[in-house]
Amino acid sequence: MSVRKSAIVTGGTRGIGRAIVESLADGNLQNFSADVLFVYNSCETCAKEIEEQFKNTDVNVIGIQSDVTSFDKAQEVVNLALEKFGKLDILVNNAGITKDNLLLRMSEKDFDDVINVNLKSVFNYTKAAFKPMMKQRGGRIVNISSIVGIIGNAGQSNYAASKAGIIGFTKSTAKEFASRNITVNAVTPGFIETEMTAALNEKQREALLVNIPLKRIGQSQDVAKLVKFLCSSNADYITGQVISVDGGMVM
Ligand code: NDP
């Protein structure tokens, strides 16, 4: 029988976040299944659809509307997970947005919004999750960064700063939490097929493929499989790492 864990995933309604929710709940992957509380901002119909998908299974998958930029709401979500599932084993900080522009044209609001959703949220949720994980004497935190946080990208200075910030935050908290048996790792996806990347036209896609040695665009499941591994007992001795899922784009 597979082990049952409890997880929070931010930004679970679509794309990579949804695939992470599905893989954590799936008991056939990495010898455990998880009850999952996922957080979203606007897409209530997406949330209902995912809840429906797991209605007749033995795991509890619950969506909750909550803006990840709010420090207080992060605490409420963690309290709710503890109330519903009795414990918190896993936190996946996945929610993210882009507001691309060259720095010359980037507004202060576009900079602040991206930093708040992508980076401040990681602080909010990590801080709220740390106490229960510490009391349980163990936990797993996975932060979704991006290869853009490593190599930068013209037109994405706000996004790149938020994703590089996640890497620094991951390594620092990994060092702080290690003695509590809480691991913290960052995953850096490359180009993954989701709504976030759907805006690219055919010419832009072809240009991207030239730089991907595995010659395909990644799928959300490619990222979700790594996240599930990092949350499993197979990754007990891995912390503070930044692992790319990018078809070899950055090496
Ligand atoms: P999507 O745009 O498909 O989904 C984003 C998710 O975040 C949605 O569930 C959305 O909820 C949620 N969200 C956005 N803002 C908030 C908020 N303020 N509060 C709560 N939830 C919020 O993104 P992807 O799946 O493409 O990306 C997921 C993560 O992976 C992001 O951190 C992204 O930066 C990163 N990434 C993606 C890459 C890619 O190629 N797609 C590459 C590298 C990294 P709702 O739908 O309700 O608004």
Side-chain angles (χ1 to χ4, degrees), residues 11 13-14 16 41-43 67-68 94 159 163 190 192 194 197:
T13 40
R14 290 184 280 117
I16 294 170
N41 192 34
S42 55
C43 192
D67 186 341
V68 291
N94 163 80
Y159 184 77
K163 294 301 184 180
I192 310 294
T194 68
T197 49

Side-chain angles (χ1 to χ4, degrees), residues 126-196:
T126 304
K127 191 149 164 84
F130 175 62
K131 269 193 195 146
M133 286 183 176
M134 184 183 67
K135 280 190 196 147
Q136 283 165 218
R137 297 174 193 283
R140 294 297 165 90
I141 301 174
V142 180
N143 299 323
I144 308 300
S145 173
S146 165
I147 55 163
V148 168
I150 302 172
I151 59 171
N153 197 19
Q156 290 198 305
S157 57
N158 50 359
Y159 184 77
S162 72
K163 294 301 184 180
I166 287 178
I167 292 173
F169 186 86
T170 298
K171 292 180 181 179
S172 303
T173 49
K175 287 182 177 178
E176 283 186 30
F177 298 175
S179 64
R180 310 290 184 165
N181 192 33
I182 300 167
T183 66
V184 192
N185 290 289
V187 170
T188 46
F191 183 54
I192 310 294
E193 190 86 67
T194 68
E195 282 176 41
M196 190 179 265

Side-chain angles (χ1 to χ4, degrees), residues 4-209:
R4 175 64 59 86
K5 298 193 183 194
S6 151
I8 291 175
V9 178
T10 67
T13 40
R14 290 184 280 117
I16 294 170
R18 180 171 181 164
I20 292 170
V21 171
E22 290 169 345
S23 77
L24 288 174
D26 184 350
N28 295 316
L29 291 172
Q30 299 289 344
N31 299 328
F32 79 88
S33 60
D35 293 320
V36 185
L37 191 70
F38 66 90
V39 181
Y40 64 97
N41 192 34
S42 55
C43 192
E44 195 184 344
T45 46
C46 311
K48 292 282 165 251
E49 189 187 302
I50 298 167
E51 285 180 350
E52 193 63 30
Q53 185 183 334
F54 288 96
K55 207 171 164 189
N56 296 318
T57 65
D58 67 339
V59 286
N60 298 300
V61 176
I62 304 165
I64 175 155
Q65 193 286 325
S66 188
D67 186 341
V68 291
T69 62
S70 162
F71 181 77
D72 293 341
K73 283 185 181 168
Q75 187 63 62
E76 284 170 25
V77 170
V78 167
N79 290 344
L80 187 66
L82 293 170
E83 187 188 309
K84 297 266 181 206
F85 308 144
K87 58 176 184 163
L88 180 62
D89 303 304
I90 295 162
L91 167 65
V92 183
N93 285 305
N94 163 80
I97 57 167
T98 52
K99 290 200 173 182
D100 300 349
N101 224 329
L102 294 173
L103 190 73
L104 199 64
R105 287 196 277 269
M106 189 177 289
S107 68
E108 184 184 5
K109 185 175 186 313
D110 286 354
F111 187 84
D112 288 346
D113 285 352
V114 169
I115 295 292
N116 283 333
V117 175
N118 296 7
L119 180 58
K120 169 90 184 321
S121 67
V122 180
F123 166 77
N124 293 342
Y125 274 83
T126 304
K127 191 149 164 84
F130 175 62
K131 269 193 195 146
M133 286 183 176
M134 184 183 67
K135 280 190 196 147
Q136 283 165 218
R137 297 174 193 283
R140 294 297 165 90
I141 301 174
V142 180
N143 299 323
I144 308 300
S145 173
S146 165
I147 55 163
V148 168
I150 302 172
I151 59 171
N153 197 19
Q156 290 198 305
S157 57
N158 50 359
Y159 184 77
S162 72
K163 294 301 184 180
I166 287 178
I167 292 173
F169 186 86
T170 298
K171 292 180 181 179
S172 303
T173 49
K175 287 182 177 178
E176 283 186 30
F177 298 175
S179 64
R180 310 290 184 165
N181 192 33
I182 300 167
T183 66
V184 192
N185 290 289
V187 170
T188 46
F191 183 54
I192 310 294
E193 190 86 67
T194 68
E195 282 176 41
M196 190 179 265
T197 49
L200 294 172
N201 62 37
E202 217 32 62
K203 213 170 162 197
Q204 289 169 313
R205 279 164 191 271
E206 275 166 27
L208 270 164
L209 279 176

